[in-house]
Structures are given as structure tokens and as C-alpha cells.
Amino acid sequence: MTSVPPPFDPELAAALELIKDMIQPGMAMEDIEAIRQGPALALLSQLDLTAGGAFEVEDRTVPGPEGAPEISLLICRPAAPAPDRPRPVVYHVHGGGMVLGNNRAGVDVALDWARALDLVVVSVEYRLAPEHPHPAPVEDVYAGLLWTAEHAKELGGDPDRIVIAGTSAGGGLTAALALLLRDRGGPRPIGQLLMCPMLDDRNDTVSSHQMAGLGVWDRTANDTGWTALLGAARGGPDVSPYAAPARAEDLSGLPPAFLDVGSAETFRDEVVAYASRIWQAGGIAELHVWPGGFHGFDGFAPQATLSKSARAAHLDWLRRLLAE
Amino acid sequence: MKELAGRLTALDPDAGAAVRVIAYFDRLTEGRAGVEALVRGAAVLAGVPALLVDAERRVRIRVEPDGVRRDRGLPPDPAWPSAALTPDGAPALWLERADATPSVVDAVILERAAGAARLVLDRTRGRAPLDDPALVETLLDATAAEPARLHAARRLGLDLLAPARALATPAGRPGVVPAPAAPVAAEPPAVRTGIGPAVPVLELPGSWDAARTALRFTAEGGALDPGPRVVSAEDLGGIALLAELIAPGADPPPDVRALDTAAADAPWLLTTLYAVTATASLRAAAAEVNVHHSTLQDRLAHAEHLLGWPVRTPQGRLRLHLALTMRRLARP
């Protein structure tokens, strides 16, 4: 199936010109190691996580899933004196196609929210595929959330006001975390923020075909990421919803969701479908489809007008969610 | 995946940067990005605020390197690197970088952003020639469907939300100009021009009718046809009603015939009488036709004798004014 893809927003198309040497849409399995060693991830380590002293930053090693190694949590707490009551907590899950990244990646976005809304940020580091296939990543994410809920008070956080949030693969893992927490009767987050989430291993929507070879994450890269996570089971009949939330048959009883996605990206149709199915199950969801947005555009081109709208929408949703 | 290049928001000042700048603005142009996106691109790539000022078109856009637009009224510093929108024109785009000599990359950013901005401004703010006859015709045709007229307006580069005017000339094609633009250049136009009122683009057929009416009130100038070469429908007021009474080429009314007969007798007559109607005083009229005040008085006495009515009383002056105006309206 081929069809004419929606055009990129002009500013975003120009931004793609700037990054095309560093990021190509189609990532193959053999490219993973080179990208992990590449310059883009090195830039992340230069981030000033204290944001000029606004946050106290701590790396905490906490127990992982049973029988698995410990995991590392990046904890950022506002340096300002604690308010009368504990702060809400954002539990952040990084992106990277299930195969890249660490708990620094994308956390600056969560820190922006934390600065605006006085939040504690906890960012989890999970084991990456293909070395650690499903369920290692999602179980690490789950274990980190359990620890966060149990120890929220010692961080000045409110265990009853945890928002889970993630981008791309992190968005998929966040959606899976919400399903796991529901099904295992774990702590109840008050909301799930799913930014261009990676939800469906089948990789067979119209948008996944339409955007082949375009943007920063096309169907080839998507195949690579899911195959790294699921091996030969990818796209087959026996994929767990905790790996690919689009596979879940029941989307009822989940915390209120915010979902967004670009109209010009591989994930468009699966994200729209997921939001629709939450509504069909009687749930609460807010969906934004950004016209001409490529995958993760607001991270790649934060200055663009569309990126500013997307970021404002994230913050606005959080503000409404946290208002009492 | 999205964080991989998330920090790549500014360019390294290396050799490859200039190439990227060019590709960046080329893509913006290709995508028909707006002026603000171009100024934003300049600010983001340069890492300093960028300011675009086009006084003529009342455009002022200032964007900071984080992409946020923050306009300020302050004048640009002459020390900032700048570029003009047109070759040899005045500076119009600045990078607010006073502390260092501009780099090669700065120069490329300025050159590319200014060039792209000029194209957009021409397209969206009405310097583009509005001269596709078929499109203008559609736009001015009251019987054409609204979508067709809107389409034509867009193709002509008109801002659909801004008013525009129709222009009529004796033989030339109809014209349309955005209303804020001065409809007529400082120097008098080469041909008689009627200017329609400023209206929303969908009402341009009405402006066109009014422009053609205004055209009938214009004159070539000179001894045989003195009068204004440019007439704006908005300035006519009730005088426009005369146009309905006098059909072009019809038998002229008696006062007009009297004028023609008198003019055949005295070549100076029409210009002199027009000066009387077009100036505030007889002294000014004398200066206008370049004669001494007493000479003017002699001429007017002679004219009154030829015409058969006074031209120096308020009532007579009005009658004269109407006669001269009807004379233009009766032109075939």
C-alpha cells in the first residue's frame, strides 16, 4: 500500500534538513551499536540537569524486578523550600525505540514541567533490547514505579499524585505500565502522558506504510525496534499487551490519558486508534494530532511554532490534571 | 528515538554550517513558510535575536533564539550585521550581535533569510504584480462564484482578510491593489485612473464599478481637457450621482455646449476656468494658470460674456464646476 504522505510542516521540514546527517529514518539492527556510540547521545550527558540550581539531582540505585539487576533512577527535586504539602511526582520513561537512550534522555522536558508546576521528577533507566528483550524493559519500568510510590514521601513527593509520562518507546512503556498497574492492582497513577507513543508491534497501519523512508523513524526502524524487543514473535499472534499496548483487548479502567502524535509520522494511526479505543471503553483521553509533525518533532525542533503548541498542550494538560 | 539529536538546535561554525543554512532556508521556501518562520530560522541558527523591519509594508518581527517572538519598538543598532530585502536597498533584517564581527555563517544566514523573506513579502503583502488578466477579471466579476473569486484573489497574492481596491484606466486592463498600499505613486500616472473604494476582496466587483465611474470624472489635462488625472470614488460623494444623468457620448447639456463654443473662441478658456474651480481663491487660480491677477479678472469677464452666466459668484462657480464635470462625463 502506498499513498501520498501528508507534507511536513515547513519549519519542521527545514529542521529535518539540519539533522538528516545525524538521524536517518530507517535504522537497521546493525546500526544500533553505532548510534549508541554516536554524537547525539553524548550531547545528552552535557545537559545541566540542575537547570542552573533549580533542582537537586540524585542518581539512586533501587531494587529491580525479582531476580533481575538493580535499576538506576534519576531523581530531580526542586531546590526551593518544600511547600506545605508533598509535591506531585512525574515518573518519566525515556524514548529510544526500545534499543537506545538512558534516564537522561528527554528528561529536560519533564524538568520544564517541574519548574512550571513545582513537581518532583523521577526518570527510570531500563534495560535495552535486543540484549534484554521483553519483558525486561517494562518490568524495570514497573519496578521503578513501585519504588517511587513507596518512597515518594522521602522525596517530598505525594504517592497519591503520580503522573506517568513518556515519549516514543517511553510512551509505549508508559501505556504498558498503566495496563500492568491496573491488572496487578499496583499504585494508581492519576494520569498517563503518552507523547508520540510506540504502541503497536504489527507495524501495518496506513501511516506506517505512508511514511516509509521519511522523517526520523520509519517502518524499517520500527520493525528493527520491535524485533529487538520481541524477536520472531513480532507481529505474530502471541504478543503481550504489556509489550505492545495496542494488543490489549480491554482498555477500560485506565488513568486519564493524554496522547499526541504528528500527522506525518509512522505512529499516527496507531495512536489515534488507541485514543479511540480508550473512549470506546468509557475512559478519559485527550488526543492531539499535530499537522505536519514528524516523530518527536518537539524534541528535535523545540523552537518551531508547532513544537511550542505541542509543549504548551502537554503543560496545559498537566496543569488541569493537577489542579484540584 | 526523539532525543537523539534533541540538542542540535544551533550550528557549529564549521565549513558545513553554511551549506546547512542554505538547505534550511531552501526547505522553508519550498514549504512556503511565512515571514515569521524565516526570522525565527535566522534567530535560531545564529543564536542571537533576529529583527525584520519593512516600514513600507508595516512589518516588524523580532524573534529570539529560543524561537519566541518578542517584538520591541527599539530601533536597530547600526553595528548589527544586516541585510537588505532588495539589492542596494536599505537594511531590513538584522542579527542582534553587537559584540563580535559577523561570521561567514552570519552572512549566509542574512543573505538567505532576507532573500526568502522578500519572496514571501512580495507574495503575501502585495508587491507581486497583480496582472494576470484572467484572474483579475474573475475577481472583478460579480457573476463569478464566490469560491472562484476567492481562489483568484489567493492566486493573485491578495490577503483575503485585508481590504483591496480596483483601479480603472481608459484602455488598460483592470487593476487591483491592496488597500494599505498607496494606490497612486507620488508622481502623476501616465494615464487617467479611477480608483475604487477599499473593500473586502469579495466586494471588489463593486469597487470596480465605482472605479469605472471615477474614471469618467478624470481628465487628460492640457488646454482641451483640463481636470484631475486621478479621481478616487471615495472623494466624489454626491457628485457621483451626475454620472448616472450624463451618458457617455450623449448630446451634451446646454452649459457644456456653451463651454465648447466659448473654448473655440478663446484657447485659454478651459484651463483658466478649471483653475477657478480647482483652487481656493482667484489669486491662487491666477498663479495656477500663470497670469497676473488683473489679467485673470479680464479673462473671467470675457468668459462670463461668452458663457452667459457669472463665474465669480458662489452660484455661478458651482454652475461652472458642474458644466466642466459634465463635459468630462459626456465624453464618448
Side-chain angles (χ1 to χ4, degrees), chain B residues 214-239:
Chain B
L215 175 65
R216 294 182 55 205
F217 287 89
T218 61
E220 287 293 352
L224 293 177
D225 192 9
R229 191 167 277 192
V230 178
V231 171
S232 177
E234 284 159 325
D235 296 335
L236 282 174
I239 297 170

Side-chain angles (χ1 to χ4, degrees), chain A residues 53-104:
Chain A
F55 295 98
E56 288 167 6
V57 178
E58 179 188 2
D59 276 300
R60 191 84 161 247
T61 304
V62 307
E66 208 171 319
E70 294 183 310
I71 55 176
S72 164
L73 298 180
L74 172 74
I75 299 168
C76 303
R77 296 196 275 164
D84 296 342
R85 49 171 302 181
R87 294 172 165 119
V89 178
V90 168
Y91 182 73
H92 173 258
V93 187
H94 72 82
M98 304 290 179
V99 297
L100 306 167
N102 57 40
N103 60 16
R104 262 70 180 160

